[in-house]
Amino acid sequence: MPLGAVALSLLSSAAWAQHMFDALPPLPRVAPLMPPTELRSETQGEIRFKSSSPYDLDVLLNQPAKAEATMGMGKLFLPKGASEKKQVPAMVVLPGSAGAIPGRENETAQMLADNGIAALLVDNFKPRGISEEMPYALKIMGTSEFDAVADAYAALKALNKHPAIDGWRIGVMGFSKGGIAARMSMDARIRDKLAPFIQPFAMHVDFYGPCYALLQSQKTTGSPLLSFRAGEDASNDLVACAQQEAILRKAGSDVSTVVYAKAGHDWESDKPREMTSRPYLAGCTIEFNDKYFPVLNGQPLIPAGAQPDRQTRYQIRVQSGKALGDCVKVGYIAGRDESARSLGSKQLLQFLKARFEM
């Protein structure tokens, strides 16, 4: 199962499992007292926008009305001089599974704004009742990659209403788990469900999003993808990622890849480079069948007829770790790499400015 179950597969205690069953907080109510932010030319900083929490792909595509309403949140970085008369391009920025970490998401968003590109850094956690103090396992279980995809398209719709932003020049990028979501959002089926009446993302950027989940996209939105990966990041299977990128090319998108041979995961992080004890998936592929349920080695990871509510799907993920078996590995290199950080920023800006025609 995607990221959360990997962590839980390493935790065999029945008491811990029961604790995790009980730990998921309810979604905060979308109350009339907290409407979406009214966007004006000068609006920046913290904003709110309508989103949803589908949790799983089958809910997103087959039962979108069952996805609970969620008040999306994010921080908008607006370049100096942006106005209704001088509209600027924008990027939706999706954080990794631990949220925004020092050295990465906020710094990248500010770097974009300093270079004339607005950036909306999405908070996938707070709108779903997940606080910064909660355990890492709960963070990666309490929000899913499909919640992040829903937030990405909700942010796209919100930015289209901002007078200082050019709706034809809005892209999406993400780090790690956010990179998975940025890549998945290329699928035309997902776009057609979440934002069918506005132009799609102009581009997608995936920073080291793992490639264990295969959507088997038959058609993309047609927008390009730039992937950044690292040669010493065991959490990214470079062969599997190349295979997925080939599928996306065949499905209609230009895809280019940058690999930094000596870097590890999270190379923008302020933390020093080290071998982590984090779990990851390798040596297997989770595919999605014609009902959009995840399948591993022919075995569905969500039971047929499973209820679509978030608590049920969360509990299924808590229980699914054992099904992953030998696919679960532990420990990969992560942490700051000055060379990759510098090159990555330059190559990202080159790609964005070329595509945005700046």
Side-chain angles (χ1 to χ4, degrees):
M1 197 68 184
L3 291 169
V6 180
L8 290 171
S9 69
L10 305 176
L11 304 168
S12 58
S13 164
W16 176 264
Q18 185 59 51
H19 168 72
M20 289 302 294
F21 280 153
D22 300 335
L24 183 67
L27 288 176
R29 294 184 62 188
V30 181
L33 295 178
M34 287 191 64
T37 301
E38 183 178 352
L39 300 175
R40 305 178 184 277
S41 292
E42 68 276 8
T43 300
Q44 57 184 309
E46 301 297 327
I47 67 169
R48 300 181 303 275
F49 47 90
K50 292 182 180 180
S51 188
S52 63
S53 295
Y55 203 81
D56 282 319
L57 180 63
D58 69 291
V59 178
L60 192 161
L61 293 179
N62 287 338
Q63 307 178 74
K66 298 292 181 67
E68 295 183 64
T70 305
M71 185 56 71
M73 298 178 185
K75 183 178 181 181
L76 178 60
F77 296 72
L78 201 63
K80 292 180 180 179
S83 68
E84 191 168 1
K85 293 183 178 180
K86 187 182 178 182
Q87 292 184 323
V88 296
M91 292 295 291
V92 174
V93 181
L94 303 175
S97 56
I101 62 174
R104 193 171 66 180
E105 286 85 355
N106 276 286
E107 290 78 0
T108 298
Q110 186 61 62
M111 181 269 291
L112 293 175
D114 290 343
N115 283 273
I117 302 169
L120 176 52
L121 173 53
V122 174
D123 184 343
N124 301 134
F125 297 111
K126 188 174 180 180
R128 296 178 175 89
I130 308 295
S131 69
E132 292 185 5
E133 296 75 26
M134 289 182 178
Y136 178 73
L138 183 57
K139 287 182 178 180
I140 60 178
M141 293 293 286
T143 63
S144 77
E145 61 277 26
F146 299 108
D147 291 336
V149 170
D151 283 349
Y153 272 105
L156 173 65
K157 290 189 284 189
L159 290 176
N160 266 266
K161 299 177 182 178
H162 196 296
I165 291 174
D166 180 356
W168 289 97
R169 294 190 295 162
I170 301 173
V172 59
M173 62 180 290
F175 299 92
S176 195
K177 183 178 179 179
I180 298 173
R183 190 171 68 243
M184 287 180 167
S185 64
M186 298 173 69
D187 193 289
R189 297 167 297 181
I190 291 176
R191 182 261 173 142
D192 290 347
K193 285 293 181 182
L194 294 176
F197 302 118
I198 60 174
Q199 57 276 15
F201 286 112
M203 68 196 69
H204 303 253
V205 181
D206 171 6
F207 276 89
Y208 43 80
C211 301
Y212 54 77
L214 182 60
L215 283 187
Q216 304 188 85
S217 300
Q218 299 297 311
K219 182 181 179 182
T220 70
T221 63
S223 298
L225 168 69
L226 173 61
S227 292
F228 288 92
R229 308 204 179 279
E232 296 190 6
D233 177 7
S235 75
N236 272 206
D237 182 332
L238 297 184
V239 173
C241 290
Q243 291 171 341
Q244 289 208 21
E245 289 161 1
I247 290 172
L248 293 171
R249 288 190 191 96
K250 187 176 180 180
S253 286
D254 177 46
V255 179
S256 52
T257 307
V258 176
V259 179
Y260 300 129
K262 298 298 183 180
H265 206 74
D266 295 343
W267 62 67
E268 306 89 352
S269 170
D270 282 351
K271 291 185 177 181
R273 176 185 169 100
E274 63 178 357
M275 175 63 74
T276 72
S277 58
R278 301 176 199 167
Y280 65 97
L281 286 178
C284 61
T285 300
I286 296 171
E287 300 183 5
F288 289 85
N289 64 20
D290 58 357
K291 302 296 183 183
Y292 309 123
F293 286 110
V295 176
L296 178 62
N297 297 325
Q299 298 298 315
L301 296 175
I302 297 176
Q307 292 299 307
D309 64 282
R310 181 169 172 259
Q311 182 69 37
T312 295
R313 295 308 181 91
Y314 168 83
Q315 292 185 356
I316 290 172
R317 286 206 184 193
V318 170
Q319 294 173 307
S320 68
K322 291 182 180 179
L324 296 170
D326 294 338
C327 297
V328 179
K329 315 295 182 185
V330 180
Y332 55 88
I333 294 173
R336 194 171 186 89
D337 184 295
E338 292 292 350
S339 176
R341 177 184 171 87
S342 176
L343 285 171
S345 295
K346 291 177 181 177
Q347 290 178 297
L348 173 65
L349 284 175
Q350 287 174 354
F351 176 76
L352 298 185
K353 288 185 175 182
R355 296 290 179 173
F356 285 146
E357 299 182 350
M358 297 176 68

